Amino acid sequence: MHSDYIADQEFRDEIFNDVNTKFKEFENCTFYNIDFTDCTFQTVTFVDCNFFDCNFKDTKINYVSLRGVWFTKCNFTNVNFAMTDQVIFEFHFKDCLLDYAQFYALKMKKMQFINCSMIAVDFMASDLTEVLFDNCNLRRAVFIDTIANKADFSTSYDYAFDPEKNKIKKAVFSTDGLKGLLQKYDIIVK
């Protein structure tokens, strides 16, 4: 099935459904205050797109390509990103709600998470090489079998991270973050 190509468009204050997204390719488009909660994304491509104040809560994201995409002030509560297309894969989040999102086994090199709430996010078996976590709440986030080499956690907080179950060579942590790295040892860090 061929996809519809949509370029250089601006979308505002709409409710999208499968008809608006299925088998579509969006390039250089901007989305403001769009509700995507009724969508089951299937064979959708977003290239060089920006999303502002959009709602993706509980959305099913299957076979979506994200290239050069920024999400700002969007809600991704309980969204599973595991089925996103990882060929030429690049997207970033700023001021987003990502609580309970799943990034299981994704290659997320050099992604940026800026000022995001990421409570109980699943990063199990993900490649987080050089990922920036800037001022993110990572309470109860799952880091098991992750590669977080050169990742920057220096301004983020509330994470618990087992250095023996993850690769963290040259990752950056703040002194305040040491407590989260040593939590499994049941020691007190003041």
Side-chain angles (χ1 to χ4, degrees), residues 2-65:
H2 96 297
S3 64
D4 292 331
Y5 179 74
I6 302 162
D8 304 314
Q9 297 286 317
E10 185 176 291
F11 301 91
R12 287 188 177 271
D13 305 315
E14 294 182 47
I15 297 173
F16 273 42
N17 57 33
D18 290 346
V19 173
N20 302 105
T21 58
K22 231 177 224 184
F23 307 110
K24 302 271 196 283
E25 182 175 344
F26 297 90
E27 185 170 356
N28 199 35
C29 292
T30 307
F31 301 84
Y32 295 96
N33 195 36
I34 304 297
D35 186 344
F36 290 100
T37 57
D38 289 334
C39 294
T40 301
F41 288 94
Q42 184 178 354
T43 317
V44 182
T45 301
F46 295 100
V47 178
D48 297 328
C49 291
N50 289 290
F51 296 81
F52 298 93
D53 298 301
C54 294
N55 186 9
F56 293 88
K57 184 178 178 181
D58 295 316
T59 301
K60 305 296 181 245
I61 296 181
N62 299 313
Y63 308 107
V64 175
S65 296

Side-chain angles (χ1 to χ4, degrees), residues 22-150:
K22 231 177 224 184
F23 307 110
K24 302 271 196 283
E25 182 175 344
F26 297 90
E27 185 170 356
N28 199 35
C29 292
T30 307
F31 301 84
Y32 295 96
N33 195 36
I34 304 297
D35 186 344
F36 290 100
T37 57
D38 289 334
C39 294
T40 301
F41 288 94
Q42 184 178 354
T43 317
V44 182
T45 301
F46 295 100
V47 178
D48 297 328
C49 291
N50 289 290
F51 296 81
F52 298 93
D53 298 301
C54 294
N55 186 9
F56 293 88
K57 184 178 178 181
D58 295 316
T59 301
K60 305 296 181 245
I61 296 181
N62 299 313
Y63 308 107
V64 175
S65 296
L66 300 164
R67 300 174 192 143
V69 175
W70 272 92
F71 297 102
T72 305
K73 295 183 180 177
C74 295
N75 183 350
F76 286 94
T77 301
N78 204 36
V79 171
N80 185 348
F81 288 88
M83 294 297 291
T84 53
D85 179 4
Q86 293 191 54
V87 178
I88 311 173
F89 177 74
E90 181 205 352
F91 56 101
H92 309 280
F93 300 93
K94 183 177 180 185
D95 301 319
C96 289
L97 183 61
L98 289 153
D99 297 348
Y100 308 101
Q102 299 165 28
F103 294 97
Y104 176 77
L106 290 180
K107 290 176 175 46
M108 304 170 64
K109 292 180 179 183
K110 298 185 179 182
M111 284 184 57
Q112 297 179 50
F113 297 93
I114 302 167
N115 298 321
C116 294
S117 177
M118 304 178 76
I119 295 169
V121 169
D122 181 0
F123 288 112
M124 190 179 298
S126 292
D127 185 347
L128 304 173
T129 301
E130 297 183 63
V131 169
L132 172 64
F133 292 96
D134 183 10
N135 193 39
C136 295
N137 181 352
L138 293 164
R139 185 168 45 97
R140 295 185 11 230
V142 177
F143 295 97
I144 297 174
D145 295 328
T146 59
I147 301 169
N149 297 331
K150 298 183 182 177

